[in-house]
Amino acid sequence: MRIQQFRAPVIGAFLLLVLTGCDQFTDSRPVQNSAIVEPKVTISVAAASDLKYVLEEIITEFRQAHPEIAVKPTYGSSGSFYSQLLNKAPFDVFLSADVAYPQQLIDQGLAISESLIVYAMGRIVLWVRNDCPVDVEREGIASLRSASIKKIAIANPQHAPYGKAAEAALYHFDIYEEVEDRIVFGENIAQAAQFVESGAADIGIIAVSLTIADALREKGRQWPFPKDSYPPLEQGGVIMSTTQERGACEAFLKFLGSDVCRDILKRYAFSYPGEMTLDGPVAP
């Protein structure tokens, strides 16, 4: 009889301990899962290819500030995106390498006029691989006259703002006709850079933002074009009229003007209207 009286409290205490432990274990799991915020909306961004590396960093920072919004970028030439957007391509935001294409979309009623921003100013440089015998840093534009330069890569000026800038710079230095038969065109500025990196071209006129990225930083040397040798590359962004996620798009474009975003853009040698004063070497 004593044994039964002794066992009952022990068994009760044991069951209480087990049940309490189970409750604590199961309660802790939802707390851990609640820290992971799944995005509620996704916005698709048509982005100029000079943004290929910098935009990935910007998106990472944006997700920290807005975990409920996912950003899906697609890279290409601004002119090609413009043609696609004329045909109602399903993009929410357009980040062009110039401001002209977004403005044209606004003029045609395809983009929201009050959303237009100039988010950065781009730059072009003459870039060669490290194994190139030409001293591009010393010779500058004269490098293009070297007998060892067989092919010169630029983006296609028909639809790439960086290609138009490259062409303008060649005319500025009165060298276009001398080198015209050696020019090879990339579909966009990223492809022009790839031509030089791979050896398909000996030298290229490319976006400085690409040369600063890890993919190219240690692989080549460069000479920056003076800012007055080509039209300003005012890079513009706009929200498309067909978007179903205007609020999320506005949050993203607002973030492009934040101090955090500007610091990232400046690390890739982008500047802002009135700030483009660098003609010398580009800091890594």
Side-chain angles (χ1 to χ4, degrees):
M1 196 68 178
R2 290 178 186 175
I3 295 176
Q4 292 177 347
Q5 289 176 349
F6 174 75
R7 285 181 177 176
V10 171
I11 293 172
F14 175 76
L15 290 174
L16 180 61
L17 178 61
V18 170
L19 291 173
T20 302
C22 289
D23 286 343
Q24 290 175 344
F25 178 74
T26 54
D27 284 347
S28 66
R29 293 177 66 96
V31 171
Q32 293 174 351
N33 290 339
S34 65
I36 302 173
V37 179
E38 293 295 331
K40 297 179 180 178
V41 299
T42 298
I43 59 174
S44 57
V45 178
S49 59
D50 68 301
L51 301 174
K52 182 174 176 63
Y53 300 105
V54 64
L55 190 57
E56 298 301 325
E57 289 195 31
I58 289 172
I59 290 173
T60 297
E61 291 295 330
F62 178 73
R63 283 298 311 277
Q64 293 293 321
H66 297 275
E68 76 282 4
I69 304 172
V71 179
K72 180 182 178 183
T74 302
Y75 300 98
S77 72
S78 300
S80 294
F81 279 134
Y82 171 73
S83 297
Q84 294 174 39
L85 290 165
L86 285 178
N87 291 297
K88 309 295 178 63
F91 292 106
D92 299 295
V93 173
F94 180 31
L95 297 182
S96 175
D98 70 2
V99 74
Y101 284 128
Q103 183 60 61
Q104 290 176 47
L105 290 171
I106 290 172
D107 295 342
Q108 296 182 61
L110 297 174
I112 300 170
S113 60
E114 58 268 29
S115 70
L116 181 65
I117 63 168
V118 174
Y119 60 87
M121 303 285 290
R123 297 178 62 192
I124 55 173
V125 294
L126 203 56
W127 191 81
V128 297
R129 296 184 313 280
N130 286 325
D131 61 0
C132 180
V134 175
D135 187 352
V136 69
E137 295 164 306
R138 183 176 64 84
E139 297 181 26
I141 197 68
S143 301
L144 299 178
R145 294 190 172 99
S146 172
S148 63
I149 299 299
K150 308 298 184 184
K151 292 183 179 180
I152 303 163
I154 71 173
N156 192 328
Q158 295 298 316
H159 49 248
Y162 275 89
K164 293 176 184 177
E167 190 176 63
L170 293 174
Y171 278 114
H172 174 86
F173 286 102
D174 197 25
I175 198 174
Y176 185 86
E177 292 182 358
E178 290 183 54
V179 302
E180 183 178 8
D181 62 347
R182 289 183 282 153
I183 294 176
V184 293
F185 298 111
E187 178 66 18
N188 51 62
I189 197 62
Q191 189 176 69
Q194 185 181 33
F195 284 167
V196 189
E197 180 190 11
S198 66
D202 305 294
I203 197 168
I205 302 175
I206 64 175
V208 66
S209 60
L210 298 178
T211 72
I212 290 175
D214 290 342
L216 293 183
R217 182 181 299 170
E218 304 297 330
K219 294 183 178 181
R221 294 168 283 115
Q222 62 184 254
W223 176 77
F225 282 86
K227 66 176 181 178
D228 62 355
S229 64
Y230 57 95
L233 281 161
E234 292 185 300
Q235 306 207 182
V238 74
I239 299 172
M240 301 308 299
S241 300
T242 53
T243 184
Q244 299 297 310
E245 305 294 348
R246 179 167 176 172
C249 294
E250 288 175 346
F252 181 62
L253 289 192
K254 183 178 179 180
F255 185 78
L256 286 180
S258 69
D259 290 341
V260 171
C261 189
R262 288 196 168 204
D263 286 344
I264 296 173
L265 286 164
K266 286 182 177 180
R267 280 199 286 105
Y268 283 82
F270 287 100
S271 58
Y272 298 88
E275 294 182 357
M276 191 176 173
T277 58
L278 297 176
D279 288 339
V282 178

